[in-house]
Amino acid sequence: FELGDWHLSVLSDRINLKQSDIIIIDSLFISDSFISLMKRKTKNIFIINDSYEDNSKHCQAINWRIDASKKVFSGAQIVPLRKEIIPYKKTFFSSNNRILISMGGSDVRGLTNKIIERLFCDSRFSNIELNVIIGDSFKIHEFSKLKLKNGCRVKYFTNKSRDDLFSVFQKCDFAIATGGHTIYELAYIGIPTVHLLVVDNQKPAEAWKNTGFTYFAGWYHEIDFIDRIINGAFSLYTNY
């Protein structure tokens, strides 16, 4: 296979294609003219589209949204996962008193500290260890590392390989996570999740609330948002 950046005007000339070849496009902003040019080279064009809008530009869509319509290239069974995750699927469940917190690569709403502080102040989570993933784009100067309170400990994980991160995931009882691609990774490993939505393109992840796998805490701008996260955490803590 060959990877290419469609923004480069020379790409269409550089790639040699046969009619039997397959193109998979991962961009909803690709130009119609580029699609038309590629269709003259091959009929097998697919575009990855996990939104609710029809942005497939007359190509065959690949949609791994959890509630995608049942077509040939749809559903969570086709979601791409890193090969490093394969050994970390849980085969049995035991309590380690660990909660995973993952707010994505940048924590755009600044929720990590707020969630930790609320868990710290809640006696229901005494003697719990919080495993907190610090993304590459976290604003460290705005992030205070809380360590220990009321028996609740915190461990922070930064700049870890995917193997190391999946190992951290596997050792946790459940997770509090934003509704991005991480939910698919947690589902594969077998980590029940309190999931929350913080940006508009995460709206498709709301459908996870109908699977029984997650506790849906809602959107970041809702008044009782943090309360619902904590209530969801307690629900999973007492039931798993």
Side-chain angles (χ1 to χ4, degrees):
F1 66 91
E2 183 172 357
L3 299 176
D5 185 348
W6 69 270
H7 288 91
L8 302 177
S9 59
V10 298
L11 178 64
S12 59
D13 295 325
R14 183 170 61 83
I15 297 180
N16 296 316
L17 293 170
K18 302 187 295 291
Q19 283 292 309
S20 59
D21 287 340
I22 297 173
I23 298 177
I24 299 177
I25 299 168
D26 187 12
S27 174
L28 298 181
F29 304 103
I30 197 164
S31 66
D32 291 333
S33 59
F34 183 88
I35 293 291
S36 297
L37 180 60
M38 289 296 99
K39 282 186 173 181
R40 292 200 292 269
K41 294 174 177 288
T42 177
K43 302 299 182 185
N44 302 307
I45 301 179
F46 298 83
I47 190 165
I48 295 172
N49 178 12
D50 63 348
S51 73
Y52 284 109
E53 300 177 6
D54 183 11
N55 294 317
S56 54
K57 297 183 181 292
H58 308 294
C59 301
Q60 298 181 77
I62 297 174
N63 187 346
W64 52 73
R65 205 176 64 233
I66 196 72
D67 63 339
S69 59
K70 301 302 181 183
K71 297 180 180 179
V72 176
F73 300 106
S74 66
Q77 69 274 11
I78 64 169
V79 66
L81 297 175
R82 297 174 186 270
K83 63 181 180 181
E84 293 89 347
I85 201 173
I86 294 174
Y88 295 99
K89 190 178 185 69
K90 284 194 175 188
T91 56
F92 64 92
F93 295 86
S94 60
S95 177
N96 296 311
N97 282 344
R98 293 178 183 174
I99 302 174
L100 175 74
I101 299 177
S102 176
M103 294 294 109
S106 59
D107 189 10
V108 293
R109 307 299 175 188
L111 295 172
T112 300
N113 268 349
K114 294 177 182 178
I115 293 170
I116 293 173
E117 288 170 347
R118 283 294 302 275
L119 291 171
F120 267 177
C121 295
D122 195 318
S123 61
R124 295 176 297 178
F125 298 100
S126 60
N127 300 315
I128 283 290
E129 180 180 289
L130 305 179
N131 287 190
V132 181
I133 307 300
I134 306 299
D136 294 338
S137 300
F138 268 54
K139 295 179 180 179
I140 299 299
H141 64 281
E142 297 178 0
F143 184 78
S144 61
K145 287 191 173 183
L146 307 170
K147 292 293 187 182
L148 177 66
K149 188 175 181 181
N150 295 335
C152 187
R153 297 175 298 158
V154 187
K155 288 185 178 179
Y156 298 91
F157 298 88
T158 60
N159 301 319
K160 295 294 183 181
S161 68
R162 298 311 298 183
D163 268 316
D164 290 338
L165 283 179
F166 293 145
S167 178
V168 173
F169 287 11
Q170 186 191 50
K171 294 172 183 175
C172 292
D173 298 338
F174 66 91
I176 300 173
T178 52
H181 205 77
T182 300
I183 291 187
Y184 292 97
E185 296 173 339
L186 293 167
Y188 174 85
I189 294 173
I191 309 295
T193 302
V194 177
H195 91 277
L196 44 139
L197 305 179
V198 296
V199 291
D200 289 344
N201 65 7
Q202 292 178 349
K203 181 174 174 54
E206 186 171 345
W208 279 97
K209 68 184 180 183
N210 300 319
T211 65
F213 172 71
T214 72
Y215 182 107
F216 181 52
W219 286 86
Y220 73 96
H221 52 72
E222 294 169 340
I223 295 175
D224 58 349
F225 178 61
I226 297 294
D227 288 336
R228 279 195 269 173
I229 292 174
I230 303 307
N231 290 337
F234 184 69
S235 175
L236 295 185
Y237 181 44
T238 55
N239 287 290
Y240 288 93

